[in-house]
Amino acid sequence: MEAGNITTVTFVLLGLSSNPQIQALLFVLFLGIYLLTILGNLAMLLVTRADSHLHTPMYFFLSHLSFLDAFYSSVIVPKLLENLLSKWKTVSSVECFTQISLVIFSGATETCLLSVMAYDRFQAVCHPLLYVVAMNKKLCTGLVVASWVIGVGTSLVNSILLAQQNFCGPNLVRSFACELPPVLLLTCSDPYVSVASNLTTMAVLGLGTFVLLLGSYTRIIMTALGINSATGRRKIFSTCSSHLLVITNFYGSGVIRYMTPASGSVLEQVLSMQYSVVTPLLNPLIYSLKNQEVKAALRRVLARKPRLTL
């Protein structure tokens, strides 16, 4: 077959199953997950904005994470639902290329936001007297903007390099979505530059930010253990455990998926499902169920009586 670059070929998403009955069940399952994800993250976003008690750096960052999770899920799940109902699983080169770009953007941005949130907790626990000064509005805004800019830059670099590759077919993507690792398997040109760029991205953003996370939480744990008050220790661990659960869900699957050679295995699809579908669903639940401040704010928002205006 004649070689073509990513702008001139069509891809086929093999998806999760070819059995029509299983596809129908999966459609119902993922539709429910998607609706819960959007509702959960929008609720978290609205509560953090509407309640003045949550107008702090921690919840400012959390509101951006909630928006990003809703966006991330919307990049993956609607196309997954469409393919589950469609007889033909083809996806145009523009659609596939766009999805790859947005997945990289979402993953890179979320990695940076999680690191920023860890730094915020480090300042709050280890330097409480200087916290308000250190985490001022200008710095918080700058950290969020930097996270989004890094996400855009990472996406552009990796996407542009991928666009230089040639694809000879058959372009069967062994996944439920267009992502960099399974699409790179289909290239018939030397993917060295794209692979090197992907590994560099994971080394800098993945492992690099993980070191920052590990350092921040090591200091937080040491500080917490040095507190005499059991109530104080419990409050610190309760707040930080939510963040650690989110990090484990996201990093545990994402880093393994992008740092290991792609083979199209079932495990790889499970890992992709973990960070792109499951994690955005769990994040608002983790932060709301384990956070007394969020639950109290939600009760206050729901208790408000709507004002009638003439």
Side-chain angles (χ1 to χ4, degrees):
M1 184 178 292
E2 184 180 355
N5 61 32
I6 198 171
T7 62
T8 61
V9 299
T10 300
F11 297 90
V12 178
L13 296 174
L14 296 183
L16 299 172
S17 174
S18 58
N19 187 311
Q21 293 180 332
I22 295 179
Q23 287 181 351
L25 292 174
L26 290 175
F27 177 84
V28 174
L29 173 63
F30 285 111
L31 178 61
I33 289 176
Y34 181 61
L35 293 177
L36 288 174
T37 300
I38 297 300
L39 289 174
N41 282 288
L42 287 182
M44 183 67 70
L45 182 61
L46 291 174
V47 168
T48 55
R49 298 288 179 166
D51 192 273
S52 59
H53 295 83
L54 301 185
H55 291 176
T56 63
M58 174 181 171
Y59 295 105
F60 172 69
F61 298 135
L62 181 56
S63 67
H64 281 269
L65 181 66
S66 296
F67 175 81
L68 184 62
D69 279 337
F71 176 81
Y72 199 175
S73 183
S74 297
V75 170
I76 297 292
V77 182
K79 187 62 181 178
L80 170 59
L81 294 174
E82 178 187 337
N83 285 343
L84 287 172
L85 293 180
S86 176
K87 182 178 180 181
W88 307 106
K89 314 297 183 183
T90 56
V91 56
S92 70
S93 57
V94 174
E95 287 181 297
C96 191
F97 183 75
T98 301
Q99 191 173 52
I100 290 172
S101 301
L102 294 178
V103 166
I104 296 173
F105 160 73
S106 301
T109 305
E110 183 151 342
T111 299
C112 294
L113 279 177
L114 290 175
S115 298
V116 168
M117 293 173 71
Y119 177 72
D120 171 70
R121 291 301 82 204
F122 162 74
Q123 289 289 352
V125 174
C126 299
H127 305 288
L129 298 179
L130 300 176
Y131 176 69
V132 176
V133 177
M135 300 303 294
N136 57 72
K137 185 176 181 179
K138 183 178 180 180
L139 177 63
C140 292
T141 302
L143 290 173
V144 168
V145 170
S147 298
W148 289 96
V149 170
I150 290 173
V152 171
T154 302
S155 174
L156 286 175
V157 170
N158 285 278
S159 300
I160 290 172
L161 291 176
L162 178 63
Q164 311 305 313
Q165 300 296 324
N166 292 321
F167 299 86
C168 302
N171 296 311
L172 305 178
V173 182
R174 298 184 181 278
S175 181
F176 56 87
C178 282
E179 289 190 271
L180 186 61
V183 171
L184 271 179
L185 280 177
L186 307 177
T187 181
C188 55
S189 55
D190 187 359
Y192 172 78
V193 176
S194 288
V195 172
S197 175
N198 177 50
L199 292 177
T200 301
T201 298
M202 292 308 302
V204 175
L205 286 183
L207 299 180
T209 55
F210 182 75
V211 170
L212 294 176
L213 290 166
L214 186 62
S216 296
Y217 278 100
T218 299
R219 289 289 306 276
I220 288 172
I221 292 172
M222 292 175 63
T223 300
L225 292 176
I227 296 176
N228 295 325
S229 170
T231 303
R233 288 197 301 270
R234 186 164 55 251
K235 183 178 180 181
I236 291 173
F237 285 125
S238 176
T239 303
C240 294
S241 62
S242 300
H243 194 194
L244 287 173
L245 283 173
V246 172
I247 292 171
T248 302
N249 283 331
F250 185 74
Y251 272 80
S253 53
V255 171
I256 294 175
R257 180 71 170 98
Y258 277 79
M259 286 292 286
T260 57
S263 62
S265 66
V266 175
L267 176 60
E268 291 175 351
Q269 294 206 51
V270 171
L271 292 173
S272 294
M273 192 71 66
Q274 172 69 23
Y275 61 74
S276 64
V277 178
V278 177
T279 297
L281 170 67
L282 293 181
N283 282 358
L285 296 176
I286 291 172
Y287 280 112
S288 61
L289 293 177
K290 292 184 65 63
N291 193 311
Q292 296 299 324
E293 290 180 332
V294 172
K295 288 191 285 188
L298 183 59
R299 286 193 293 269
R300 286 192 294 269
V301 171
L302 294 176
R304 290 178 185 173
K305 294 181 179 180
R307 297 179 180 178
L308 297 178
T309 57
L310 298 178

